[in-house]
Structure formats: C-alpha cells, structure tokens
PDB file of all heavy atoms in Angstrom:
ATOM      1  N   TYR A   1     225.095 -40.171 130.330  1.00 91.00           N
ATOM      2  CA  TYR A   1     225.326 -38.842 130.907  1.00 91.00           C
ATOM      3  C   TYR A   1     224.286 -38.617 131.989  1.00 91.00           C
ATOM      4  O   TYR A   1     223.164 -39.130 131.905  1.00 91.00           O
ATOM      5  CB  TYR A   1     225.197 -37.722 129.866  1.00 91.00           C
ATOM      6  CG  TYR A   1     226.222 -37.756 128.774  1.00 91.00           C
ATOM      7  CD1 TYR A   1     225.832 -37.945 127.462  1.00 91.00           C
ATOM      8  CD2 TYR A   1     227.577 -37.598 129.039  1.00 91.00           C
ATOM      9  CE1 TYR A   1     226.759 -37.987 126.432  1.00 91.00           C
ATOM     10  CE2 TYR A   1     228.515 -37.647 128.016  1.00 91.00           C
ATOM     11  CZ  TYR A   1     228.095 -37.831 126.723  1.00 91.00           C
ATOM     12  OH  TYR A   1     229.015 -37.886 125.710  1.00 91.00           O
ATOM     13  N   ASP A   2     224.650 -37.806 132.962  1.00 92.00           N
ATOM     14  CA  ASP A   2     223.744 -37.554 134.081  1.00 92.00           C
ATOM     15  C   ASP A   2     222.513 -36.740 133.703  1.00 92.00           C
ATOM     16  O   ASP A   2     221.463 -36.906 134.302  1.00 92.00           O
ATOM     17  CB  ASP A   2     224.475 -36.820 135.204  1.00 92.00           C
ATOM     18  CG  ASP A   2     225.526 -37.706 135.864  1.00 92.00           C
ATOM     19  OD1 ASP A   2     225.376 -38.941 135.816  1.00 92.00           O
ATOM     20  OD2 ASP A   2     226.491 -37.159 136.420  1.00 92.00           O
ATOM     21  N   ALA A   3     222.634 -35.833 132.734  1.00 91.00           N
ATOM     22  CA  ALA A   3     221.506 -34.951 132.416  1.00 91.00           C
ATOM     23  C   ALA A   3     221.427 -34.672 130.916  1.00 91.00           C
ATOM     24  O   ALA A   3     222.443 -34.466 130.258  1.00 91.00           O
ATOM     25  CB  ALA A   3     221.643 -33.635 133.166  1.00 91.00           C
ATOM     26  N   ASN A   4     220.198 -34.664 130.404  1.00 90.00           N
ATOM     27  CA  ASN A   4     219.956 -34.396 128.983  1.00 90.00           C
ATOM     28  C   ASN A   4     219.704 -32.899 128.783  1.00 90.00           C
ATOM     29  O   ASN A   4     218.620 -32.465 128.412  1.00 90.00           O
ATOM     30  CB  ASN A   4     218.756 -35.217 128.500  1.00 90.00           C
ATOM     31  CG  ASN A   4     218.604 -35.155 126.998  1.00 90.00           C
ATOM     32  OD1 ASN A   4     219.557 -34.882 126.279  1.00 90.00           O
ATOM     33  ND2 ASN A   4     217.407 -35.401 126.510  1.00 90.00           N
ATOM     34  N   ASN A   5     220.721 -32.116 129.059  1.00 92.00           N
ATOM     35  CA  ASN A   5     220.591 -30.667 128.974  1.00 92.00           C
ATOM     36  C   ASN A   5     220.574 -30.186 127.531  1.00 92.00           C
ATOM     37  O   ASN A   5     221.084 -30.840 126.632  1.00 92.00           O
ATOM     38  CB  ASN A   5     221.735 -30.003 129.740  1.00 92.00           C
ATOM     39  CG  ASN A   5     221.676 -30.329 131.219  1.00 92.00           C
ATOM     40  OD1 ASN A   5     220.611 -30.550 131.767  1.00 92.00           O
ATOM     41  ND2 ASN A   5     222.824 -30.373 131.867  1.00 92.00           N
ATOM     42  N   ALA A   6     219.975 -29.020 127.337  1.00 91.00           N
ATOM     43  CA  ALA A   6     219.881 -28.421 126.003  1.00 91.00           C
ATOM     44  C   ALA A   6     221.042 -27.463 125.777  1.00 91.00           C
ATOM     45  O   ALA A   6     221.615 -26.909 126.718  1.00 91.00           O
ATOM     46  CB  ALA A   6     218.563 -27.672 125.858  1.00 91.00           C
ATOM     47  N   ARG A   7     221.363 -27.263 124.518  1.00 93.00           N
ATOM     48  CA  ARG A   7     222.359 -26.279 124.080  1.00 93.00           C
ATOM     49  C   ARG A   7     221.758 -25.525 122.901  1.00 93.00           C
ATOM     50  O   ARG A   7     220.897 -26.044 122.196  1.00 93.00           O
ATOM     51  CB  ARG A   7     223.655 -26.954 123.635  1.00 93.00           C
ATOM     52  CG  ARG A   7     224.360 -27.723 124.735  1.00 93.00           C
ATOM     53  CD  ARG A   7     225.596 -28.414 124.180  1.00 93.00           C
ATOM     54  NE  ARG A   7     226.188 -29.292 125.153  1.00 93.00           N
ATOM     55  CZ  ARG A   7     227.442 -29.189 125.565  1.00 93.00           C
ATOM     56  NH1 ARG A   7     228.237 -28.261 125.087  1.00 93.00           N
ATOM     57  NH2 ARG A   7     227.909 -30.042 126.457  1.00 93.00           N
ATOM     58  N   THR A   8     222.253 -24.330 122.658  1.00 93.00           N
ATOM     59  CA  THR A   8     221.788 -23.563 121.513  1.00 93.00           C
ATOM     60  C   THR A   8     222.893 -22.638 121.020  1.00 93.00           C
ATOM     61  O   THR A   8     223.746 -22.214 121.787  1.00 93.00           O
ATOM     62  CB  THR A   8     220.520 -22.744 121.845  1.00 93.00           C
ATOM     63  OG1 THR A   8     220.061 -22.105 120.654  1.00 93.00           O
ATOM     64  CG2 THR A   8     220.778 -21.697 122.912  1.00 93.00           C
ATOM     65  N   ASP A   9     222.821 -22.331 119.731  1.00 93.00           N
ATOM     66  CA  ASP A   9     223.718 -21.323 119.155  1.00 93.00           C
ATOM     67  C   ASP A   9     222.935 -20.041 118.873  1.00 93.00           C
ATOM     68  O   ASP A   9     223.439 -19.131 118.237  1.00 93.00           O
ATOM     69  CB  ASP A   9     224.392 -21.840 117.881  1.00 93.00           C
ATOM     70  CG  ASP A   9     223.415 -22.135 116.753  1.00 93.00           C
ATOM     71  OD1 ASP A   9     222.191 -21.952 116.930  1.00 93.00           O
ATOM     72  OD2 ASP A   9     223.872 -22.556 115.678  1.00 93.00           O
ATOM     73  N   GLY A  10     221.688 -19.985 119.319  1.00 91.00           N
ATOM     74  CA  GLY A  10     220.825 -18.828 119.084  1.00 91.00           C
ATOM     75  C   GLY A  10     219.888 -19.041 117.911  1.00 91.00           C
ATOM     76  O   GLY A  10     218.889 -18.334 117.780  1.00 91.00           O
ATOM     77  N   VAL A  11     220.191 -19.992 117.051  1.00 92.00           N
ATOM     78  CA  VAL A  11     219.335 -20.308 115.900  1.00 92.00           C
ATOM     79  C   VAL A  11     218.792 -21.725 116.056  1.00 92.00           C
ATOM     80  O   VAL A  11     217.603 -21.965 115.911  1.00 92.00           O
ATOM     81  CB  VAL A  11     220.109 -20.166 114.567  1.00 92.00           C
ATOM     82  CG1 VAL A  11     219.252 -20.603 113.388  1.00 92.00           C
ATOM     83  CG2 VAL A  11     220.592 -18.741 114.390  1.00 92.00           C
ATOM     84  N   TYR A  12     219.684 -22.668 116.345  1.00 92.00           N
ATOM     85  CA  TYR A  12     219.310 -24.064 116.516  1.00 92.00           C
ATOM     86  C   TYR A  12     219.404 -24.445 117.990  1.00 92.00           C
ATOM     87  O   TYR A  12     220.172 -23.855 118.750  1.00 92.00           O
ATOM     88  CB  TYR A  12     220.233 -24.985 115.709  1.00 92.00           C
ATOM     89  CG  TYR A  12     219.927 -24.975 114.234  1.00 92.00           C
ATOM     90  CD1 TYR A  12     220.536 -24.060 113.385  1.00 92.00           C
ATOM     91  CD2 TYR A  12     219.018 -25.867 113.693  1.00 92.00           C
ATOM     92  CE1 TYR A  12     220.247 -24.041 112.030  1.00 92.00           C
ATOM     93  CE2 TYR A  12     218.727 -25.864 112.336  1.00 92.00           C
ATOM     94  CZ  TYR A  12     219.337 -24.945 111.520  1.00 92.00           C
ATOM     95  OH  TYR A  12     219.044 -24.932 110.183  1.00 92.00           O
ATOM     96  N   GLN A  13     218.627 -25.437 118.358  1.00 91.00           N
ATOM     97  CA  GLN A  13     218.687 -25.983 119.706  1.00 91.00           C
ATOM     98  C   GLN A  13     218.838 -27.496 119.608  1.00 91.00           C
ATOM     99  O   GLN A  13     218.269 -28.111 118.706  1.00 91.00           O
ATOM    100  CB  GLN A  13     217.416 -25.651 120.474  1.00 91.00           C
ATOM    101  CG  GLN A  13     217.439 -26.150 121.899  1.00 91.00           C
ATOM    102  CD  GLN A  13     216.237 -25.668 122.681  1.00 91.00           C
ATOM    103  OE1 GLN A  13     215.864 -24.512 122.602  1.00 91.00           O
ATOM    104  NE2 GLN A  13     215.636 -26.556 123.438  1.00 91.00           N
ATOM    105  N   TRP A  14     219.611 -28.081 120.517  1.00 92.00           N
ATOM    106  CA  TRP A  14     219.813 -29.521 120.530  1.00 92.00           C
ATOM    107  C   TRP A  14     220.057 -29.976 121.955  1.00 92.00           C
ATOM    108  O   TRP A  14     220.226 -29.170 122.862  1.00 92.00           O
ATOM    109  CB  TRP A  14     220.974 -29.924 119.620  1.00 92.00           C
ATOM    110  CG  TRP A  14     222.276 -29.254 119.952  1.00 92.00           C
ATOM    111  CD1 TRP A  14     223.252 -29.719 120.797  1.00 92.00           C
ATOM    112  CD2 TRP A  14     222.739 -28.004 119.464  1.00 92.00           C
ATOM    113  NE1 TRP A  14     224.294 -28.827 120.852  1.00 92.00           N
ATOM    114  CE2 TRP A  14     224.002 -27.758 120.037  1.00 92.00           C
ATOM    115  CE3 TRP A  14     222.218 -27.060 118.588  1.00 92.00           C
ATOM    116  CZ2 TRP A  14     224.745 -26.614 119.773  1.00 92.00           C
ATOM    117  CZ3 TRP A  14     222.960 -25.917 118.325  1.00 92.00           C
ATOM    118  CH2 TRP A  14     224.208 -25.715 118.913  1.00 92.00           C
ATOM    119  N   TYR A  15     220.049 -31.286 122.135  1.00 92.00           N
ATOM    120  CA  TYR A  15     220.182 -31.886 123.458  1.00 92.00           C
ATOM    121  C   TYR A  15     221.364 -32.842 123.493  1.00 92.00           C
ATOM    122  O   TYR A  15     221.822 -33.323 122.461  1.00 92.00           O
ATOM    123  CB  TYR A  15     218.892 -32.648 123.811  1.00 92.00           C
ATOM    124  CG  TYR A  15     217.725 -31.708 123.981  1.00 92.00           C
ATOM    125  CD1 TYR A  15     216.977 -31.313 122.878  1.00 92.00           C
ATOM    126  CD2 TYR A  15     217.403 -31.188 125.222  1.00 92.00           C
ATOM    127  CE1 TYR A  15     215.918 -30.424 123.016  1.00 92.00           C
ATOM    128  CE2 TYR A  15     216.341 -30.300 125.372  1.00 92.00           C
ATOM    129  CZ  TYR A  15     215.609 -29.921 124.269  1.00 92.00           C
ATOM    130  OH  TYR A  15     214.583 -29.036 124.405  1.00 92.00           O
ATOM    131  N   GLU A  16     221.818 -33.114 124.708  1.00 94.00           N
ATOM    132  CA  GLU A  16     222.950 -34.030 124.894  1.00 94.00           C
ATOM    133  C   GLU A  16     222.683 -35.384 124.250  1.00 94.00           C
ATOM    134  O   GLU A  16     223.590 -36.002 123.707  1.00 94.00           O
ATOM    135  CB  GLU A  16     223.256 -34.211 126.381  1.00 94.00           C
ATOM    136  CG  GLU A  16     223.735 -32.953 127.081  1.00 94.00           C
ATOM    137  CD  GLU A  16     225.024 -32.395 126.525  1.00 94.00           C
ATOM    138  OE1 GLU A  16     225.927 -33.176 126.153  1.00 94.00           O
ATOM    139  OE2 GLU A  16     225.142 -31.166 126.456  1.00 94.00           O
ATOM    140  N   THR A  17     221.448 -35.851 124.295  1.00 93.00           N
ATOM    141  CA  THR A  17     221.124 -37.149 123.694  1.00 93.00           C
ATOM    142  C   THR A  17     221.391 -37.145 122.185  1.00 93.00           C
ATOM    143  O   THR A  17     221.837 -38.139 121.631  1.00 93.00           O
ATOM    144  CB  THR A  17     219.664 -37.573 124.012  1.00 93.00           C
ATOM    145  OG1 THR A  17     219.508 -38.927 123.611  1.00 93.00           O
ATOM    146  CG2 THR A  17     218.644 -36.716 123.314  1.00 93.00           C
ATOM    147  N   GLU A  18     221.149 -36.023 121.531  1.00 93.00           N
ATOM    148  CA  GLU A  18     221.415 -35.938 120.090  1.00 93.00           C
ATOM    149  C   GLU A  18     222.920 -35.917 119.816  1.00 93.00           C
ATOM    150  O   GLU A  18     223.383 -36.549 118.862  1.00 93.00           O
ATOM    151  CB  GLU A  18     220.719 -34.716 119.503  1.00 93.00           C
ATOM    152  CG  GLU A  18     219.222 -34.877 119.539  1.00 93.00           C
ATOM    153  CD  GLU A  18     218.446 -33.586 119.424  1.00 93.00           C
ATOM    154  OE1 GLU A  18     218.995 -32.496 119.693  1.00 93.00           O
ATOM    155  OE2 GLU A  18     217.279 -33.673 119.068  1.00 93.00           O
ATOM    156  N   ILE A  19     223.665 -35.222 120.654  1.00 95.00           N
ATOM    157  CA  ILE A  19     225.125 -35.223 120.501  1.00 95.00           C
ATOM    158  C   ILE A  19     225.657 -36.652 120.666  1.00 95.00           C
ATOM    159  O   ILE A  19     226.445 -37.128 119.852  1.00 95.00           O
ATOM    160  CB  ILE A  19     225.799 -34.285 121.526  1.00 95.00           C
ATOM    161  CG1 ILE A  19     225.399 -32.830 121.285  1.00 95.00           C
ATOM    162  CG2 ILE A  19     227.321 -34.449 121.476  1.00 95.00           C
ATOM    163  CD1 ILE A  19     225.874 -31.881 122.374  1.00 95.00           C
ATOM    164  N   TYR A  20     225.205 -37.306 121.714  1.00 96.00           N
ATOM    165  CA  TYR A  20     225.675 -38.664 121.987  1.00 96.00           C
ATOM    166  C   TYR A  20     225.358 -39.610 120.828  1.00 96.00           C
ATOM    167  O   TYR A  20     226.237 -40.328 120.343  1.00 96.00           O
ATOM    168  CB  TYR A  20     225.042 -39.198 123.282  1.00 96.00           C
ATOM    169  CG  TYR A  20     225.315 -40.666 123.492  1.00 96.00           C
ATOM    170  CD1 TYR A  20     226.552 -41.098 123.967  1.00 96.00           C
ATOM    171  CD2 TYR A  20     224.359 -41.624 123.174  1.00 96.00           C
ATOM    172  CE1 TYR A  20     226.815 -42.449 124.124  1.00 96.00           C
ATOM    173  CE2 TYR A  20     224.612 -42.982 123.331  1.00 96.00           C
ATOM    174  CZ  TYR A  20     225.850 -43.385 123.809  1.00 96.00           C
ATOM    175  OH  TYR A  20     226.116 -44.722 123.956  1.00 96.00           O
ATOM    176  N   HIS A  21     224.107 -39.622 120.371  1.00 94.00           N
ATOM    177  CA  HIS A  21     223.705 -40.556 119.313  1.00 94.00           C
ATOM    178  C   HIS A  21     224.305 -40.183 117.954  1.00 94.00           C
ATOM    179  O   HIS A  21     224.570 -41.058 117.132  1.00 94.00           O
ATOM    180  CB  HIS A  21     222.179 -40.684 119.256  1.00 94.00           C
ATOM    181  CG  HIS A  21     221.638 -41.460 120.410  1.00 94.00           C
ATOM    182  ND1 HIS A  21     221.304 -40.866 121.605  1.00 94.00           N
ATOM    183  CD2 HIS A  21     221.414 -42.786 120.567  1.00 94.00           C
ATOM    184  CE1 HIS A  21     220.883 -41.806 122.449  1.00 94.00           C
ATOM    185  NE2 HIS A  21     220.948 -42.979 121.841  1.00 94.00           N
ATOM    186  N   PHE A  22     224.552 -38.902 117.712  1.00 95.00           N
ATOM    187  CA  PHE A  22     225.248 -38.485 116.496  1.00 95.00           C
ATOM    188  C   PHE A  22     226.688 -39.007 116.533  1.00 95.00           C
ATOM    189  O   PHE A  22     227.173 -39.566 115.555  1.00 95.00           O
ATOM    190  CB  PHE A  22     225.225 -36.961 116.360  1.00 95.00           C
ATOM    191  CG  PHE A  22     226.040 -36.444 115.211  1.00 95.00           C
ATOM    192  CD1 PHE A  22     225.642 -36.675 113.902  1.00 95.00           C
ATOM    193  CD2 PHE A  22     227.201 -35.725 115.431  1.00 95.00           C
ATOM    194  CE1 PHE A  22     226.397 -36.200 112.826  1.00 95.00           C
ATOM    195  CE2 PHE A  22     227.948 -35.240 114.371  1.00 95.00           C
ATOM    196  CZ  PHE A  22     227.552 -35.481 113.071  1.00 95.00           C
ATOM    197  N   ASP A  23     227.335 -38.846 117.667  1.00 96.00           N
ATOM    198  CA  ASP A  23     228.719 -39.272 117.805  1.00 96.00           C
ATOM    199  C   ASP A  23     228.849 -40.799 117.718  1.00 96.00           C
ATOM    200  O   ASP A  23     229.648 -41.317 116.948  1.00 96.00           O
ATOM    201  CB  ASP A  23     229.283 -38.769 119.139  1.00 96.00           C
ATOM    202  CG  ASP A  23     230.767 -39.029 119.294  1.00 96.00           C
ATOM    203  OD1 ASP A  23     231.468 -39.225 118.286  1.00 96.00           O
ATOM    204  OD2 ASP A  23     231.229 -39.007 120.456  1.00 96.00           O
ATOM    205  N   LYS A  24     228.032 -41.519 118.461  1.00 95.00           N
ATOM    206  CA  LYS A  24     228.176 -42.975 118.543  1.00 95.00           C
ATOM    207  C   LYS A  24     227.547 -43.717 117.365  1.00 95.00           C
ATOM    208  O   LYS A  24     228.112 -44.699 116.881  1.00 95.00           O
ATOM    209  CB  LYS A  24     227.571 -43.481 119.843  1.00 95.00           C
ATOM    210  CG  LYS A  24     227.727 -44.978 119.985  1.00 95.00           C
ATOM    211  CD  LYS A  24     227.750 -45.428 121.396  1.00 95.00           C
ATOM    212  CE  LYS A  24     228.012 -46.926 121.403  1.00 95.00           C
ATOM    213  NZ  LYS A  24     228.394 -47.423 122.653  1.00 95.00           N
ATOM    214  N   TYR A  25     226.374 -43.256 116.902  1.00 94.00           N
ATOM    215  CA  TYR A  25     225.622 -44.021 115.904  1.00 94.00           C
ATOM    216  C   TYR A  25     225.371 -43.267 114.590  1.00 94.00           C
ATOM    217  O   TYR A  25     224.578 -43.711 113.776  1.00 94.00           O
ATOM    218  CB  TYR A  25     224.260 -44.430 116.479  1.00 94.00           C
ATOM    219  CG  TYR A  25     224.357 -45.336 117.677  1.00 94.00           C
ATOM    220  CD1 TYR A  25     224.029 -44.869 118.942  1.00 94.00           C
ATOM    221  CD2 TYR A  25     224.774 -46.660 117.543  1.00 94.00           C
ATOM    222  CE1 TYR A  25     224.095 -45.695 120.048  1.00 94.00           C
ATOM    223  CE2 TYR A  25     224.852 -47.497 118.651  1.00 94.00           C
ATOM    224  CZ  TYR A  25     224.507 -47.008 119.898  1.00 94.00           C
ATOM    225  OH  TYR A  25     224.579 -47.831 120.994  1.00 94.00           O
ATOM    226  N   ASN A  26     226.022 -42.139 114.398  1.00 94.00           N
ATOM    227  CA  ASN A  26     225.823 -41.341 113.184  1.00 94.00           C
ATOM    228  C   ASN A  26     224.348 -40.982 112.977  1.00 94.00           C
ATOM    229  O   ASN A  26     223.802 -41.135 111.883  1.00 94.00           O
ATOM    230  CB  ASN A  26     226.367 -42.061 111.946  1.00 94.00           C
ATOM    231  CG  ASN A  26     227.855 -42.276 112.035  1.00 94.00           C
ATOM    232  OD1 ASN A  26     228.605 -41.357 112.330  1.00 94.00           O
ATOM    233  ND2 ASN A  26     228.293 -43.496 111.817  1.00 94.00           N
TER     234      ASN A  26
END
C-alpha cells in the first residue's frame, strides 16, 4: 500500500499495516 495511515473507531486505533498482516498472515 502507498501509505500506512491510521484508522480509529474512537476507542481503538490501528494502522493499514495491521489490517494487511491480519488479513494475509492472521
């Protein structure tokens, strides 16, 4: 991905790298 941007639901925060590695490598 071009950028490791952050996301939040207001309680938790995460980054694109965590989404990617969760999806691909559990």
